[in-house]
Amino acid sequence: MIFDIKKYSINDGPGIRTTVFFSGCPLSCLWCHNPESISFVPQLLHRQGRCLMCGACVEACPEGAIRLDFNTSNERTAESQNTMVPGAVLTDRQKCTRCQTCIATCYSGARQFSGREVTVQEVMEQVKREIPFYEESDGGVTFSGGEPLIQPGFLSELLVACREQEIHTAVDTSGFSNWNVFEKIRRNVDLFLYDLKLMDNARHKEVTGVPNPVILENLRKLVEYQHKVLVRIPLIPGINDDEENLVESAKFLASLPKLEGVELMGYHDIAQAKYEALSRDYKLAGTKPPTEEAMLRAAEFLKSYNLKIILR
Amino acid sequence: MPITDRIKTLREKSLNAKETLSSERAELLTAFYQQETGLLSTPVKRAKSFAYLLEHKHIEIYPGELMVGEKGPAPKTAPTFPELCCHSLSDLDILNSREKTSFHVEPATRRAYQETVIPFWQNKSMRELILNEMTEEWKAAYEAGIFTEFMEQRAPGHTVLDDKIYHKGMLDFQAEIDRRLSALDFLNDPEAYDKQEELRAMHIAAGALIRFGERYAQMAEEQAEAEADPLRRLELEKIASVCRHVPAHAPSDFHEALQYYWFVHLGVTTELNTWDAFCPGKLDQHLLQFYDLNKHGREYYEELLHSFWIKFNNQPAPPKVGVTAAESGTYTDFAQINIGGLRPDGSDGVNEVSYLLLDVIEEMRLLQPSSSVQVSKKNPDKFVRRAARIIRTGFGQPSIFNADLIVQELVRMGKDVTDARCGGSSGCVEVGAFGKEAYILTGYFNLPKVLELTLHSGIDPRTGRKLGLETGDPRTFTSFDELFAAFEQQVLHFVDIKVRGNNVIENLYAKYMPSPFLSLLTDDCIARGKDYHAGGARYNTSYIQGVGVGTMTDILSAIKKHIFEDKVMDMSALLSILASDFNGFERERQMLLNRTPRYGNDDDAADNLMVRVFEAYYNAVDGRRNMRGGEYHINLLPTTCHIYFGSVTGATADGRKAWTPLSEGVSPVQGADRNGPTAAARSVSKMDHARTGGTLLNQKFTPQVLANDEGLDKLVSLVRGYFKLDGHHIQFNVVDAETLKAAQANPGEYRSLIVRVAGYSDYFCDLSKTLQDEIIARTEHEGF
């Protein structure tokens, strides 16, 4: 099950890539950019900005779970800054049975379900279309999510299919997985994009919902098996940008035999609109992206540990 | 290298001078025709008028200039061509006062028109002759905006020079003409007399250009004599020696080569107001033989090129009015300089002058001349990356062409492979064999309008006039194919009307408006003793440019899906929704916009329909015979015509509101391509570009995507990938919508903001509001 395929993906590995986003993730990071991807259950997204407030979904819903609220102020939401019609559609997500009737009737496409079952063939059909661009740019496919390792069978088949087509593959992972899964797929992966969020276990658990020892251990093993690994650190103000965490991260990374590099990615708040579309609270609301200066400072710091830093 | 102070001054002057209409040429021409009442053949009379113009026009050498010569009496002055289009006083007033692309008209100019020009040329211009000869159905279709006519105010153009002037002086041309004259066979060749007159005319024209050079030489000598500054004096002496040597003789150095080209440029654009001015073609290859770092430092050559660039920028396009102004609403005269590509033997054409020219483009940052890189798989990535660095600075230049595909296109259209390799693109994106082909753009063709007529069985719903065939009430159609077949019939019908008109116009130009100077520059006019307008060129192509492929595809996709497949709407409902311009039908409009497979997303459901539209148009046009011994071919580009065509086309089934712009070039509908630039490029590449004479794809990027070298490399890969898929041309706007919106709100602060329109760049603030909005609406690609 996937929730999206994005082409001309230029920030998830080398060259021009297609990123396949898997549904399902064992983590629940406060800053998650793809909150619709965490659950395996298809998630209803309602993008108010595109909504006509025409009421077609209200009429169509067999559960009576939807209503129009013309009194809701649009100012609150980022998504609705360009709203066509003022007001809001409110969906009682308890009542919703995910029958998708409202999706079929929505004229503007404001309502969508995220997450769909697809076959390996269907994914590959899309992936193969971009081969000329991979070839010209030394690009390929990135499997991301969600957490791709959570669907090991599907991921493994896709990796094999890519290998058959001689398409470069990257797997973007949180690393929170049983080593068996890595063992199953690692030989068909050309590059791992490996997230390193927080070094302190208790704090990691607090903000991602899972402990981190297994993540660190898997990372060490991958590197020891001489896989190409690009570590990615999302720099999130107030979460992991403190000096202690940077020191610990740097020490740990410097202790690994060989890395492709460390990508430092500044947090950004564009995911907020998605939280609104899912009618969920965004716990990091109000957190500002790190300043360029803060990014550079962190990069310089990490560099002092002889790490190859790439700024995003 | 830093720009020298004098170049800065000349550049500033060029930028700040107001476009002004000059009646000088019109008055001189009138005087000539009033005096010259003897019995002369038409070509000879035209040649003599050309000589008269060059002998009497005002010339000047401005302080600090290295290159000399202007088309008008001063920089940014635009001569007029009353023999082609005699502007009325109200035309002059409109030109003077209109909000965009206005031309200042002095009271003295207006008076000259009133007293001298109009009384003489009224009812004698080609424009009047042409409109007089067109059929009622042609006029009706023209007025309805189904097609436009390029030759209505301007002469056939797309004239690009090959390398011949760099090894032949005008005296050499004359010697060749003399040989042909003495070989004429008056006993057996029924055309011998016509050939004689044409050749004599060419001879006169060549002599006229030599005389023009001498006038400048003399002026430079006089100025040198009076010059106090010893350095400037040396420069003036050099200018004098250059102008004594060229155009009479083949150039012997870089300076002479550029000045010779410039005299030729002025000659062609003084003889007639050819579309797309005139172009030097593959300038890097032509100049390489004169580029010698042992003789001068790089900065010497660079400064000469800077001067050369400013000369182009000093020449606004001839003033246009009416539909012609609407289809090409810009000061740009489309001279395009080709860089890179292939050499005649098929090897890599990139050389050190290529990089020098790219530096000059970046340093000058001028609208004119337009520039392009011709990218072959044989060219190094370094070259493409250098060009991409300029594109990143966001002024839409240079544009990027697929040199290998262009060779394929030209060979398919019957060119010898070497001639094809010596060819390239000109104007916006149109291909030709440089120096050997008269490839004439004849007008734009409004595909969505033809579909609109099909949906009304031949009636234009805007006016209620019946223009097309009665292909049946679409409400009775039971399948999509039935609708498509009706559309194909209508396309054929209007192409017939257009071609009939074109063929008459070609004949009128051949008979009444020969251009001996342009002819002597174009192979094989001298050998054949025939004019450029009469089939004298080695190759003779007529193009009709299709507009609105993206809009067409989305319309058909919407009709196919919602009416014939899902049946959620019927034809009669659609027609009344369109008639209401979606008033009260926003739900339906959103459905058409958002729930239809749309072109530009690598979605075969839509793209296959695009291919059908392409084939229908191709079949209607390609391979027809023109009057010059050549054939018709298609290209797909709009200049600004997608705005004009949109303004005459009602609401369409892709959710487009009435009178708003159509899609441009082969680009997807603005905002419809939502899967990134590679998916858009794949969609576009599904048409067979090799069977066109040029297609135009615009893409818009936010500056952030290209901020670092990695982004730049990915842009280069995108281009290479598109070309691997046999795409013809791609061009990028690197600017975000926020900037454009700010510029729209505060034009004063954004005077220098340059954007890519369609095949050319323009100042954003000089564009019409509709065109500004259209560019803002184009999909903005970001990195994911």
Side-chain angles (χ1 to χ4, degrees):
Chain A
M1 188 167 150
I2 63 168
F3 71 91
D4 204 359
I5 295 181
K6 279 230 186 307
K7 294 169 177 176
Y8 199 68
S9 161
I10 53 174
N11 293 315
D12 289 321
I16 296 175
R17 311 189 71 82
T18 298
T19 301
V20 181
F21 292 89
F22 282 51
S23 294
C25 184
L27 280 66
S28 46
C29 308
L30 296 180
W31 60 88
C32 182
H33 280 172
N34 297 314
E36 75 275 32
S37 74
I38 297 174
S39 169
F40 272 123
V41 180
Q43 299 291 304
L44 172 71
L45 288 151
H46 178 85
R47 297 189 181 271
Q48 193 60 46
R50 286 204 205 163
C51 179
L52 297 172
M53 294 294 285
C54 72
C57 54
V58 177
E59 293 157 30
C61 179
E63 308 301 323
I66 312 171
R67 67 188 175 85
L68 301 183
D69 177 3
F70 286 97
N71 299 320
T72 303
S73 153
N74 284 320
E75 282 163 34
R76 187 176 64 89
T77 67
E79 162 72 10
S80 52
Q81 273 169 10
N82 299 311
T83 294
M84 293 194 267
V85 184
V89 170
L90 303 178
T91 308
D92 184 337
R93 287 176 191 258
Q94 303 300 322
K95 276 192 194 169
C96 173
T97 62
R98 302 193 167 82
C99 69
Q100 308 212 8
T101 311
C102 60
I103 309 293
T105 39
C106 179
Y107 289 97
S108 68
R111 289 176 88 78
Q112 285 166 356
F113 261 96
S114 148
R116 58 183 197 270
E117 304 249 350
V118 287
T119 64
V120 169
Q121 232 174 349
E122 282 164 351
V123 174
M124 288 308 292
E125 204 269 323
Q126 289 300 313
V127 163
K128 284 198 290 195
R129 285 171 179 258
E130 300 273 301
I131 286 176
F133 300 103
Y134 310 150
E135 288 180 352
E136 288 299 333
S137 65
D138 294 323
V141 179
T142 299
F143 297 105
S144 181
E147 170 53 63
L149 296 184
I150 206 171
Q151 300 180 58
F154 183 50
L155 175 62
S156 172
E157 281 181 53
L158 280 169
L159 288 168
V160 170
C162 287
R163 180 82 6 137
E164 275 169 13
Q165 301 293 329
E166 299 188 21
I167 296 172
H168 180 274
T169 56
V171 169
D172 178 15
T173 178
S174 69
F176 186 76
S177 171
N178 191 312
W179 176 254
N180 292 342
V181 175
F182 278 105
E183 195 52 47
K184 186 179 167 79
I185 57 139
R186 65 184 177 87
R187 287 178 189 81
N188 286 322
V189 179
D190 295 312
L191 174 70
F192 285 94
L193 305 172
Y194 203 107
D195 277 14
L196 186 69
K197 296 171 172 112
L198 263 168
M199 294 304 291
D200 181 75
N201 187 25
R203 186 88 177 106
H204 193 277
K205 235 172 139 170
E206 200 180 307
V207 296
T208 72
V210 301
N212 70 5
V214 63
I215 295 176
L216 302 178
E217 197 187 310
N218 286 339
L219 174 55
R220 182 174 293 280
K221 273 193 195 165
L222 278 180
V223 177
E224 281 171 1
Y225 278 117
Q226 298 188 338
H227 285 290
K228 290 190 171 169
V229 181
L230 183 68
V231 170
R232 308 220 283 184
I233 302 178
L235 198 71
I236 309 152
I239 302 276
N240 66 355
D241 66 340
D242 52 292
E243 197 181 325
E244 191 193 332
N245 186 53
L246 281 177
V247 171
E248 292 303 315
S249 303
K251 276 192 195 159
F252 172 70
L253 293 173
S255 76
L256 299 173
K258 186 177 179 283
L259 287 174
E260 285 298 294
V262 179
E263 246 181 44
L264 203 55
M265 303 183 296
Y267 159 84
H268 55 82
D269 53 8
I270 52 169
Q272 192 158 355
K274 276 194 187 170
Y275 284 83
E276 284 160 13
L278 289 159
S279 15
R280 285 192 210 162
D281 281 342
Y282 184 51
K283 301 212 178 62
L284 291 191
T287 302
K288 291 268 170 285
T291 60
E292 205 183 319
E293 200 197 338
M295 289 291 289
L296 285 172
R297 219 174 25 230
E300 282 311 310
F301 180 78
L302 293 172
K303 272 186 197 163
S304 69
Y305 283 79
N306 277 330
L307 295 166
K308 184 184 156 199
I309 306 299
I310 303 151
L311 273 182
R312 286 270 172 220
Chain B
M1 138 195 157
I3 303 171
T4 58
D5 285 343
R6 72 151 120 220
I7 295 294
K8 264 184 213 152
T9 310
L10 290 167
R11 182 178 177 277
E12 280 304 304
K13 266 170 85 177
S14 179
L15 288 173
N16 294 333
K18 170 64 196 154
E19 292 78 6
T20 302
L21 187 141
S22 158
S23 58
E24 184 196 41
R25 184 186 179 282
E27 289 182 77
L28 286 173
L29 193 78
T30 310
F32 170 81
Y33 274 87
Q34 277 168 342
Q35 291 161 22
E36 186 54 77
T37 50
L39 279 175
L40 291 176
S41 67
T42 306
V44 168
K45 194 163 185 176
R46 286 294 305 166
K48 286 199 158 191
S49 74
F50 176 67
Y52 186 86
L53 290 171
L54 293 188
E55 182 64 49
H56 292 95
K57 80 188 284 296
H58 175 77
I59 64 169
E60 209 161 323
I61 299 173
Y62 295 93
E65 274 198 323
L66 294 172
M67 306 293 305
V68 298
E70 298 290 339
K71 192 161 73 172
K76 290 275 184 84
T77 54
T80 55
F81 298 75
E83 71 272 46
L84 298 180
C85 164
C86 181
H87 294 112
S88 65
L89 290 178
S90 91
D91 284 342
L92 296 182
D93 294 340
I94 289 169
L95 282 163
N96 187 39
S97 62
R98 70 185 174 198
E99 198 196 340
K100 304 285 176 170
T101 58
S102 66
F103 284 82
H104 177 65
V105 180
E106 291 279 341
T109 304
R110 199 177 185 279
R111 213 175 316 118
Y113 255 79
Q114 188 169 18
E115 289 166 8
T116 315
V117 180
I118 295 174
F120 187 82
W121 290 102
Q122 208 167 24
N123 302 320
K124 287 197 196 89
S125 75
M126 287 298 284
R127 187 188 198 192
E128 284 150 317
L129 181 60
I130 287 168
L131 294 176
N132 204 29
E133 290 297 336
M134 294 299 106
T135 60
E136 283 311 311
E137 57 179 0
W138 186 96
K139 284 180 195 159
Y142 176 80
E143 280 158 19
I146 292 169
F147 50 70
T148 64
E149 176 47 59
F150 263 39
M151 263 58 75
E152 170 249 359
Q153 289 171 39
R154 294 186 67 175
H158 287 81
T159 47
V160 186
L161 201 55
D162 56 7
D163 63 347
K164 61 173 71 77
I165 63 164
Y166 305 98
H167 48 80
K168 267 164 86 174
M170 284 292 139
L171 290 173
D172 301 311
F173 285 101
Q174 284 184 326
E176 193 185 330
I177 292 165
D178 285 337
R179 276 197 303 280
R180 291 288 168 184
L181 274 169
S182 60
L184 284 175
D185 180 1
F186 277 87
L187 296 180
N188 298 300
D189 182 357
E191 291 179 340
Y193 173 73
D194 290 343
K195 289 178 182 171
Q196 169 189 282
E197 292 307 295
E198 179 67 30
L199 287 166
R200 279 181 175 167
M202 291 185 203
H203 200 284
I204 295 167
L209 198 74
I210 296 174
R211 176 70 197 119
F212 190 51
E214 283 169 352
R215 289 184 66 204
Y216 275 100
Q218 196 181 340
M219 177 174 277
E221 281 153 8
E222 286 163 13
Q223 285 194 10
E225 201 123 323
E227 179 61 53
D229 176 357
L231 284 178
R232 179 61 186 159
R233 189 190 168 106
L234 278 176
E235 279 174 6
L236 285 162
E237 282 166 5
K238 172 66 183 170
I239 291 170
S241 105
V242 166
C243 300
R244 286 273 173 228
H245 191 76
V246 294
H249 306 278
S252 63
D253 66 18
F254 203 86
H255 195 153
E256 288 179 358
L258 286 177
Q259 184 63 58
Y260 187 5
Y261 172 78
W262 190 246
F263 281 139
V264 167
H265 186 99
L266 294 177
V268 171
T269 54
T270 297
E271 183 175 46
L272 283 174
N273 60 0
T274 49
W275 272 105
D276 295 357
F278 192 59
C279 315
K282 302 190 164 200
L283 197 60
D284 50 351
Q285 294 186 35
H286 301 329
L287 292 179
L288 183 64
Q289 56 179 312
F290 305 107
Y291 184 66
D292 183 352
L293 289 176
N294 295 321
K295 269 198 200 156
H296 298 282
R298 196 173 193 263
E299 60 284 356
Y300 167 84
Y301 298 104
E302 215 164 329
E303 193 180 30
L304 282 172
L305 286 165
H306 287 155
S307 317
F308 188 63
W309 246 245
I310 292 167
K311 283 292 167 192
F312 278 96
N313 200 61
N314 281 347
Q315 322 302 326
K320 295 166 259 190
V321 293
V323 170
T324 298
E327 73 180 350
S328 182
T330 174
Y331 290 124
T332 304
D333 207 13
F334 299 96
Q336 188 198 100
I337 289 173
N338 283 212
I339 305 169
L342 297 168
R343 298 201 303 183
D345 64 0
S347 60
D348 176 11
V350 172
N351 62 45
E352 40 191 330
V353 179
S354 315
Y355 292 100
L356 178 66
L357 294 181
L358 289 171
D359 287 352
V360 168
I361 291 164
E362 187 165 37
E363 289 153 359
M364 286 290 98
R365 210 180 164 84
L366 290 170
L367 285 193
Q368 301 197 81
S370 190
S371 57
S372 65
V373 288
Q374 309 283 313
V375 174
S376 158
K377 55 182 186 283
K378 290 177 184 164
N379 298 146
D381 273 346
K382 179 188 163 194
F383 169 66
V384 193
R385 216 176 288 131
R386 175 70 191 96
R389 276 183 204 284
I390 304 174
I391 291 166
R392 174 164 74 181
T393 66
F395 85 115
Q397 282 196 42
S399 55
I400 313 177
F401 289 86
N402 184 346
D404 303 314
L405 185 81
I406 287 179
V407 171
Q408 251 190 75
E409 291 165 2
L410 289 170
V411 168
R412 188 197 76 86
M413 293 188 280
K415 276 86 173 174
D416 169 82
V417 71
T418 308
D419 289 350
R421 286 172 185 149
C422 294
S425 60
S426 66
C428 294
V429 297
E430 311 83 73
V431 304
F434 294 169
K436 298 163 188 74
E437 180 168 15
Y439 52 115
I440 295 172
L441 269 70
T442 65
Y444 296 106
F445 192 86
N446 189 345
L447 290 161
K449 183 76 193 174
V450 175
L451 184 69
E452 186 181 41
L453 288 166
T454 311
L455 289 174
H456 295 87
S457 193
I459 291 168
D460 181 357
R462 188 170 68 104
T463 57
R465 282 180 79 178
K466 186 171 166 295
L467 307 173
L469 302 170
E470 281 175 34
T471 43
D473 184 341
R475 285 167 293 204
T476 65
F477 292 169
T478 54
S479 71
F480 176 78
D481 288 344
E482 207 174 327
L483 171 68
F484 197 83
F487 168 68
E488 279 179 310
Q489 276 185 51
Q490 300 281 8
V491 170
L492 205 58
H493 172 71
F494 287 110
V495 169
D496 279 345
I497 294 174
K498 171 76 179 145
V499 168
R500 186 194 185 282
N502 286 353
N503 289 349
V504 171
I505 294 168
E506 281 188 6
N507 271 315
L508 295 178
Y509 265 94
K511 247 191 193 74
Y512 300 113
M513 210 41 68
S515 56
F517 184 66
L518 176 57
S519 301
L520 77 92
L521 298 164
T522 309
D523 297 335
D524 302 312
C525 293
I526 295 177
R528 293 180 181 174
K530 260 193 168 173
D531 194 80
Y532 183 89
H533 293 156
R538 186 173 303 167
Y539 308 108
N540 292 281
T541 301
S542 302
Y543 286 125
I544 306 177
Q545 308 95 251
V547 175
V549 173
T551 303
M552 267 306 296
T553 304
D554 289 358
I555 295 172
L556 290 175
S557 181
I559 292 178
K560 186 165 185 273
K561 179 177 166 63
H562 301 297
I563 294 183
F564 291 106
E565 288 171 6
D566 296 357
K567 299 190 166 68
V568 294
M569 191 186 270
D570 64 22
M571 186 64 84
S572 122
L574 175 69
L575 292 179
S576 44
I577 290 170
L578 295 181
S580 77
D581 194 15
F582 300 106
N583 228 322
F585 296 99
E586 189 56 23
R587 271 186 177 191
E588 287 74 7
R589 191 172 97 87
Q590 290 299 324
M591 179 184 81
L592 295 168
L593 277 172
N594 293 302
R595 306 192 61 113
T596 301
R598 299 183 74 183
Y599 172 59
N601 297 291
D602 197 8
D603 178 346
D604 293 337
D607 299 345
N608 290 342
L609 292 170
M610 178 279 288
V611 172
R612 281 180 79 172
V613 172
F614 172 86
E615 295 296 341
Y617 184 56
Y618 173 85
N619 289 329
V621 175
D622 190 81
R624 288 173 184 249
R625 314 289 306 169
N626 63 25
M627 294 295 102
R628 297 171 292 126
E631 284 184 354
Y632 277 87
H633 299 292
I634 62 167
N635 32 39
L636 300 164
L637 67 116
T639 313
T640 59
C641 203
H642 58 302
I643 307 289
Y644 165 63
F645 278 172
S647 77
V648 295
T649 307
T652 43
D654 60 339
R656 179 189 144 275
K657 296 269 226 170
W659 333 126
T660 62
L662 307 178
S663 64
E664 46 81 29
V666 293
S667 312
V669 169
Q670 299 77 358
D673 46 336
R674 296 169 183 168
N675 283 340
T678 49
R682 282 219 8 122
S683 281
V684 176
S685 70
K686 290 175 196 174
M687 72 171 63
D688 188 0
H689 296 242
R691 283 186 285 141
T692 71
T695 62
L696 186 150
L697 173 62
N698 263 312
Q699 294 274 278
K700 194 162 89 179
F701 278 82
T702 59
Q704 292 82 343
V705 181
L706 303 174
N708 56 25
D709 281 0
E710 203 187 322
L712 199 76
D713 285 345
K714 286 172 185 180
L715 185 80
V716 170
S717 303
L718 173 68
V719 170
R720 293 278 200 184
Y722 180 55
F723 287 177
K724 199 177 198 171
L725 295 169
D726 282 348
H728 173 86
H729 152 279
I730 188 165
Q731 186 47 49
F732 302 96
N733 262 316
V734 184
V735 60
D736 49 32
E738 292 311 311
T739 308
L740 298 177
K741 282 178 198 157
Q744 209 172 28
N746 307 301
E749 294 166 33
Y750 290 88
R751 280 274 162 246
S752 61
L753 178 66
I754 298 175
V755 293
R756 196 72 184 170
V757 182
Y760 70 102
S761 294
D762 215 336
Y763 288 106
F764 187 73
C765 298
D766 278 348
L767 305 177
S768 69
K769 169 80 166 54
T770 325
L771 188 52
Q772 290 180 347
D773 289 340
E774 186 267 316
I775 290 173
I776 291 170
R778 291 179 193 171
T779 306
E780 209 170 86
H781 293 299
E782 304 178 60
F784 295 115

